[in-house]
Amino acid sequence: MKRLFFLFILCSAVALEGAAQEFAFNKGMLKLHYREKAYNPSAAGKSMLVVYLHPRSARGHKNETQTKTPGYKAIDHYLDSIGMKAVLLAPQCEEARHWNEYSSPVGKYFSDVVYDFIDDYANSHNIDKSRIFVLGESFGGSGVWRLVSDYPGYFAAAMPAVCSPKLDRLQRFVKLGKAAKTPLCIVVGERDQIYGPAVMAPYIDTLTKKNCRMKYIILPGMNHQQACLKAYTNEALDWMFKR
């Protein structure tokens, strides 16, 4: 019986080690819940830091749904398979807020809260600050565009997937000249009527003229929803992390 109890405890410990752990970042009146998972933590050197911004459907306050999206699972599986020393952070956007917002109920844009969270984490953990990456699709991709515009050159690379940098009232916030200072992996669906190739063409042209280091991937035959589910291909993630 003691042996069975010991095996149960051991198996439970292993399960916890492989799971994304729950934390919260506090900044004044603001509290950002997030999940954290480490990969190859016993390896020598510092970890690269990967930040995932979830789509609209994962907003909330229970700090759970952001790790259940296909995007998170694809990034998690990829990082688990490549053997690099890394940390994956998945913050959760509150229900009433936006990663890329044009107004703030507390006087601080949520994108700035996310940046403060990333920078605080990088400074307080064993992180290689030259290897910080941010990825997101659709609603999350909008937040990626905002971060690379507001903090040009901070990230080693960014992946704003299935999302345009110019969204109605948010147009004045995303500056392509600043965004171009970060290497970008842009993924869209061929048949996406919202953010497909026809919509993205002028932005791709502008980024090219701004000498942005860029990987542009068009997923054949996919509409918006399909592209959101399949955005994180090995081709895209290899370009992000193995350059």
Side-chain angles (χ1 to χ4, degrees):
M1 184 61 127
K2 290 183 178 179
R3 178 178 173 78
L4 289 175
F5 179 75
F6 172 76
L7 287 174
F8 172 77
I9 295 298
L10 179 61
C11 290
S12 298
V14 171
L16 285 173
E17 184 179 352
Q21 302 299 300
E22 180 178 0
F23 298 95
F25 169 71
N26 293 279
K27 184 79 171 181
M29 295 173 58
L30 302 168
K31 188 173 184 178
L32 181 65
H33 294 278
Y34 68 97
R35 291 278 177 167
E36 170 194 281
K37 184 174 179 180
Y39 303 82
N40 204 15
S42 61
K46 296 185 175 184
S47 298
M48 70 175 182
L49 183 61
V50 181
V51 182
Y52 170 69
L53 303 185
H54 61 73
R56 185 185 301 271
S57 60
R59 286 191 300 180
H61 63 278
K62 293 184 178 180
N63 201 14
E64 294 176 352
T65 51
Q66 72 268 37
T67 62
K68 300 183 186 302
T69 67
Y72 178 90
K73 291 177 181 178
I75 297 167
D76 175 38
H77 176 74
Y78 180 88
L79 293 175
D80 208 32
S81 68
I82 59 175
M84 290 183 179
K85 185 172 185 177
V87 173
L88 174 60
L89 300 180
Q92 184 173 39
C93 184
E94 297 176 10
E95 186 67 38
R97 304 201 69 175
H98 302 264
W99 296 125
N100 179 7
E101 59 191 9
Y102 58 86
S103 64
S104 169
V106 293
K108 192 176 183 70
Y109 294 123
F110 205 60
S111 51
D112 293 323
V113 177
V114 174
Y115 168 78
D116 288 344
F117 157 62
I118 295 170
D119 200 51
D120 180 83
Y121 188 96
N123 286 321
S124 58
H125 293 75
N126 189 32
I127 299 298
D128 181 351
K129 292 195 70 176
S130 70
R131 299 274 291 162
I132 301 176
F133 304 86
V134 61
L135 308 87
E137 77 274 16
S138 194
F139 176 79
S142 175
V144 174
W145 279 117
R146 179 67 174 271
L147 285 169
V148 296
S149 177
D150 286 354
Y151 302 97
Y154 179 83
F155 298 97
M159 185 174 168
V162 204
C163 182
S164 162
K166 301 290 186 178
L167 303 173
D168 301 326
R169 288 172 288 183
L170 301 174
Q171 288 195 30
R172 64 190 178 95
F173 290 103
V174 177
K175 308 299 183 184
L176 291 181
K178 292 183 177 181
K181 297 182 183 300
T182 300
L184 299 174
C185 182
I186 299 171
V187 180
V188 300
E190 181 186 28
R191 296 184 180 179
D192 187 345
Q193 299 299 311
I194 307 172
Y195 305 122
V199 173
M200 290 300 297
Y203 307 128
I204 297 298
D205 184 59
T206 298
L207 289 167
T208 300
K209 290 176 180 177
K210 298 289 184 181
N211 297 314
C212 179
R213 294 172 60 191
M214 183 170 50
K215 176 77 169 177
Y216 183 39
I217 299 173
I218 300 175
L219 300 174
M222 294 191 190
N223 60 26
H224 181 77
Q225 184 63 31
Q226 291 167 330
C228 286
L229 296 175
K230 302 291 186 180
Y232 301 98
T233 64
N234 283 346
E235 178 187 6
L237 297 176
D238 280 347
W239 187 88
M240 287 283 293
F241 304 129
K242 293 184 177 181
R243 290 176 301 106

